[in-house]
Amino acid sequence: MTGRELDAAGVTDPALRAAYTRCRLLNARHGRTYFLATRLLPADRRPAVHALYGFARWADDIVDDTADTADTADATPAERAAALARLDRLLRHALAGGRPAAEPVVLALADTAARYAIEPAHFTDFMASMRADLTVTDYATYADLRAYMHGSAAVIGLQMLPVLGTVTSRARAAPHAAALGVAFQLTNFLRDVGEDLDRGRVYLPADLLAAHGVQRDLLLWSRRTGRDDPRITAALRAAEDLTRGVYREAEPGLAMLDPVARPCIRTAFLLYRNILDTIAGSGYAVLHRRAVVPRRRRAAVAADGLVRVLAARLGARRAPTPTTVPYGAALDAKESG
C-alpha cells in the first residue's frame, strides 16, 4: 500500500520514498485515530499527511524523551534541547532549498512543503512551541495556553489545508482549520492529563482548575492514590465544555474542503470528539486510565467515512469542471472569513 501511495504522489527518488515510508510508520504506530482517517484520503495525498505527522511526532518525541528517537532516549534536558536545535537547523536548511537532510522526517517534510507551497512560518511557529515544552510546565490562563497551541496545534491545521484543497479561498477556511487543530490537541490534553502529569506538565490552564478548587498537588494526589475528587471532576468537565466549544468553531470548515478530502477530516473530527464522549462516560477518570474509543464505534465511523469517500469520488468523476482551488494556486488573501 505504501508503494501505491508513493507512486500516486509521483515520489520516485529512493531516499525520498524511504523517508516518506518512515513517516507513515510513525503515523500508523502513534496516531491510530489520525492514521485511520488518513486512509480515507486519495492515495496521492496520503504521503504528505504522513510527512506532516511524522515530523511533528519526531519533534514531540525529542521533547518528551520517548523511545522512537533513540538518540535522545534517557537524555538530559540539555541533550534534548541540543537535539531539538539540531532538528530545527536541519529543517531551516531544507526548507531554504539546501542539500537533502540526513534526517528522513526532515527530508519528507521539506519535499511536502515544496510540493504544496506550505508557508515556512508554520514550521517556525511549531518549533517555537516545541522549545517551550522543554522548560514550560504549566499555563496560568487559557489565553497563555492558546498562544502555545498556535504553534503546537493550530499551525498543523494550516499546514494541512494546501494538501486537502478547498472549495473556497484558503484565507476563509484557515480559521476553521486552525480551530480543528486546537480542538484535537485540547482533546489530547484532557485524555492525557495523567501521563502529562508524570512528565511534570499540566496543560489544563491553572485559572480553569483554580475556579473549581484544583491545584497541581490535588492532581498529583489523585494520580498517586487512584482516588477521585469532586473538584477534579468539575474541572475536567469544564475542560470538556471548553473543548466542545472549539469543535463548534472548527465544524463550518468541513464544508469548505475539497469534497474528496472531507470524509477524511470529518472522520477525524468525529473520532476525536468521541474521545470526549468516552472521557465523560468514564466519569472523567483520566488521571487513572486512558480513555479509548471502543473499536466498534471507531469501525462504524470509519465505515461511514468510506461510504462518503466513494460518493465524493463518484461525484468528482461526474463533475464537468473542477470545483476545488488548486493546491499551489495563489489564493485571494483579501477575502474575509
Side-chain angles (χ1 to χ4, degrees):
M1 183 61 70
T2 303
R4 185 173 75 84
E5 293 172 354
L6 294 171
D7 291 342
V11 179
T12 58
D13 178 79
L16 199 52
R17 288 173 74 91
Y20 274 110
T21 299
R22 174 60 176 153
C23 291
R24 186 181 188 276
L25 288 173
L26 287 170
N27 195 353
R29 183 181 306 161
H30 298 289
R32 288 180 296 177
T33 298
Y34 199 62
F35 183 76
L36 177 62
T38 301
R39 301 284 297 141
L40 299 176
L41 279 176
D44 63 320
R45 303 189 206 181
R46 294 176 205 160
V49 177
H50 296 323
L52 293 172
Y53 180 93
F55 177 83
R57 180 72 203 195
W58 194 261
D60 194 55
D61 281 353
I62 289 175
V63 170
D64 287 342
D65 192 17
T66 54
D68 268 334
T69 50
D71 56 336
T72 61
D74 300 319
T76 66
E79 289 168 338
R80 291 200 300 275
L84 192 65
R86 174 182 176 273
L87 183 65
D88 194 23
R89 288 194 300 271
L90 290 174
L91 173 65
R92 291 175 183 271
H93 183 66
L95 291 177
R99 63 179 177 79
E103 194 66 75
V105 295
V106 177
L107 179 60
L109 181 75
D111 183 70
T112 289
R115 286 172 183 262
Y116 289 96
I118 301 173
E119 289 288 337
H122 296 332
F123 303 108
T124 300
D125 292 346
F126 172 77
M127 292 303 291
S129 287
M130 292 301 97
R131 285 192 296 273
D133 269 336
L134 292 171
T135 57
V136 179
T137 60
D138 52 42
Y139 292 87
T141 67
Y142 182 56
D144 294 332
L145 182 63
R146 282 297 292 245
Y148 162 79
M149 289 191 297
H150 167 75
S152 64
V155 297
I156 304 298
L158 298 175
Q159 291 167 18
M160 285 283 292
L161 268 187
V163 178
L164 298 172
T166 59
V167 294
T168 184
S169 78
R170 198 180 305 174
R172 186 177 179 188
H176 304 291
L180 188 58
V182 171
F184 287 171
Q185 187 164 63
L186 283 171
T187 302
N188 287 339
F189 287 162
L190 188 55
R191 181 196 62 193
D192 299 338
V193 169
E195 295 174 18
D196 288 331
L197 198 61
D198 292 343
R199 298 187 180 106
R201 300 194 195 116
V202 178
Y203 285 107
L204 300 182
D207 59 351
L208 181 149
L209 295 173
H212 300 277
V214 177
Q215 295 182 337
R216 182 187 287 251
D217 286 347
L218 184 61
L219 296 175
L220 288 168
W221 169 84
S222 179
R223 179 69 167 170
R224 184 179 67 254
T225 64
R227 295 171 63 183
D228 296 322
D229 186 285
R231 292 168 293 178
I232 294 176
T233 300
L236 295 177
R237 185 180 293 113
E240 178 206 356
D241 291 342
L242 176 67
T243 303
R244 289 190 187 278
V246 182
Y247 276 103
R248 288 192 291 272
E249 291 177 33
E251 191 165 11
L254 299 178
M256 299 179 185
L257 298 174
D258 180 346
V260 298
R262 284 176 204 162
C264 164
I265 304 305
R266 181 180 182 276
T267 296
F269 180 96
L270 293 175
L271 287 173
Y272 269 91
R273 198 171 60 178
N274 280 344
I275 295 174
L276 296 179
D277 298 334
T278 303
I279 291 170
S282 73
Y284 304 93
V286 288
L287 280 164
H288 316 311
R289 58 183 179 272
R290 203 172 210 250
V292 178
V293 177
R295 183 173 297 179
R296 182 178 298 178
R297 177 58 182 158
R298 287 163 54 89
V301 173
D304 178 70
L306 181 59
V307 170
R308 292 172 182 270
V309 164
L310 296 175
R313 291 179 185 175
L314 180 61
R317 284 197 292 270
R318 289 177 174 173
T321 56
T323 59
T324 56
V325 178
Y327 310 133
L331 300 175
D332 181 9
K334 295 182 180 180
E335 181 175 345
S336 64

